[in-house]
């Protein structure tokens, strides 16, 4: 999973990126300090892996843990006219196009020492500024596609359905609405996916708050946050209240210190943990687990995938030659104490090609090629 972090200059975007990836991206109080996209890969926290590791440890032989990972891309601050090459321009819109979802950092705090590129704090205006640039970029792509399909239609009448879809999409974008707002059939969803439109991507609004507003993790008294929250509800997007500076402050704390600090603020999880949870929910993702003496590993798949598709996540041969899967829910395995006990108690199930995977399934795939 790749998440692109976007926002206007000086909204706390790179500060947040630094905090959640500890990748050391440059952060400074002037626009365009991030002149190349910074990439950080972070492990998805999953306590189930630690529990499985303990179960499969024999003496000094501790199996390595391989968690699922998320790639974060810190994309340079966009400004008005980016779709026409203003600021750092189209190069960075292309970086967004490669991402699975967008984390849009929106400034919801006042601070005279940190200059806002527009001169004042207005999250809805800031969101609209970036939305318009993404829509303009998508409009250009759709126009080019319409021209190409119209030309090809003369020799292939089956393209009429795609052309009709593209014209509906063009009309929507011209009205100032994102591509994700267009009702689509299953075939049209596939067409949309093939175009990698910027405004078709799921979005999380990261409302960047001051530490005083963020205390307790429920900043209902911040009017800027409420504006973002209402907009997210209207769009079917996710919203994440966060304090980028606080996240930066806890980066170097050890686990115990961090837990104590978060507890004092009334929080159970760090910003990274909460961002990952929202990302999985937004993209409809779950994790299944494989465990043994050689390796404990989490695999990210789409919710609703069947067992052969999940097997293919490990290796294409597993899907091609799928026979069956030995499956047990994580909680059931923990209750049994070991895989041998689970097998003797009949808790280990044999599932076939139609089995729909569940989050936390511990699986062994049997295959033949």
């Amino acid at each position: 999973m790749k998440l692109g972090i976007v926002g206007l200059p000086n909204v706390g975007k790179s500060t947040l990126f630094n905090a959640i990836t500890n990748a050391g991206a440059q952060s400074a109080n002037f626009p365009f300090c991030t002149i190349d996209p910074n990439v950080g890969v972070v492990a998805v926290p999953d306590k189930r892996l630690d529990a499985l590791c303990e179960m499969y440890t024999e003496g000094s032989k501790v199996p390595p843990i391989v968690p699922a990972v998320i790639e974060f891309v810190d994309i340079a601050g966009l400004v008005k006219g980016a779709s026409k090459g203003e600021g750092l321009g189209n190069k960075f819109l292309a970086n967004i196009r490669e991402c699975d979802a967008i984390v849009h950092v929106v400034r919801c705090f006042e601070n005279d020492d940190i200059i806002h590129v527009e001169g004042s704090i207005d999250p809805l205006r800031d969101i609209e500024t970036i939305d318009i640039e993404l829509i303009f970029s998508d409009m250009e792509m759709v126009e080019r596609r319409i021209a190409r399909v119209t030309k090809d239609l003369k020799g292939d009448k089956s393209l009429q359905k795609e052309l009709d879809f593209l014209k509906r999409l063009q009309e929507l974008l011209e009205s100032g609405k994102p591509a994700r707002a267009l009702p689509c059939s299953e075939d049209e969803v596939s067409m949309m996916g093939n175009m990698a439109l910027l405004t078709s991507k799921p979005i999380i609004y990261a409302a960047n708050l001051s530490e005083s507003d963020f205390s307790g993790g429920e900043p209902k008294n911040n009017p800027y946050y409420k504006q973002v929250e209402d907009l997210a509800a209207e769009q079917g997007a996710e919203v994440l209240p966060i304090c980028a500076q606080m996240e930066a402050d806890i980066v170097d704390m050890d686990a115990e210190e961090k837990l104590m600090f978060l507890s004092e603020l009334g929080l159970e999880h760090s910003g990274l943990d909460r961002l990952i949870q929202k990302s999985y929910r937004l993209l409809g993702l779950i994790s299944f687990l494989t465990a043994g003496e050689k390796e404990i590993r989490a695999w990210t798949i789409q919710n609703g995938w069947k067992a052969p598709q999940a097997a293919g996540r490990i290796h294409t041969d597993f899907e091609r030659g799928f026979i069956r899967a030995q499956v047990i829910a994580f909680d059931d395995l923990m209750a049994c104490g070991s895989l041998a006990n689970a097998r003797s108690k009949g808790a280990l199930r044999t599932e076939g090609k139609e089995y729909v995977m569940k989050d936390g399934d511990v699986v062994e795939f049997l295959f033949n090629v």
Side-chain angles (χ1 to χ4, degrees), residues 104-231:
H104 186 163
V105 182
V106 186
R107 180 169 167 177
C108 294
F109 66 90
E110 300 275 3
N111 188 330
D112 293 338
D113 295 329
I114 302 177
I115 304 163
H116 191 289
V117 70
E118 295 288 350
S120 62
I121 309 302
D122 186 340
L124 296 186
R125 176 204 60 207
D126 294 353
I127 289 170
E128 183 181 31
T129 296
I130 287 186
D131 280 353
I132 287 172
E133 296 310 318
L134 302 187
I135 287 171
F136 281 162
S137 182
D138 282 351
M139 283 171 60
E140 290 181 12
M141 178 171 283
V142 171
E143 286 167 6
R144 290 196 298 269
R145 185 88 167 204
I146 287 174
R148 186 163 62 251
V149 172
T150 301
K151 181 180 177 181
D152 293 343
L153 184 64
K154 296 174 183 177
D156 185 356
K157 297 303 180 185
S158 67
L159 293 173
Q160 185 63 52
K161 186 176 181 180
E162 181 179 356
L163 183 60
D164 292 342
F165 165 70
L166 290 169
K167 287 183 176 178
R168 283 174 49 223
L169 180 56
Q170 182 182 43
E171 186 177 338
L172 178 85
L173 293 170
E174 287 176 347
S175 72
K177 295 181 180 178
R180 72 180 75 89
L182 185 70
C184 292
S185 67
E186 191 172 327
D187 288 343
E188 289 170 344
V189 168
S190 179
M191 291 179 204
M192 183 94 78
N194 291 334
M195 297 178 69
L197 296 174
L198 300 175
T199 62
S200 70
K201 296 183 183 299
I203 191 162
I204 298 172
Y205 292 112
N208 190 14
L209 303 151
S210 66
E211 191 169 330
S212 59
D213 280 346
F214 183 69
S215 181
E218 292 294 334
K220 300 296 184 183
N221 61 335
N222 182 304
Y224 300 131
Y225 173 75
K226 188 68 172 65
Q227 291 173 16
V228 179
E229 186 179 46
D230 290 345
L231 180 66

Side-chain angles (χ1 to χ4, degrees), residues 9 14 23 39 54 59 85 220 262 272 305 338 341 356 369:
S14 289
V39 178
E54 187 175 339
K220 300 296 184 183
L262 292 173
L272 173 60
W305 274 18
S338 72
N341 287 342
V356 177
V369 291

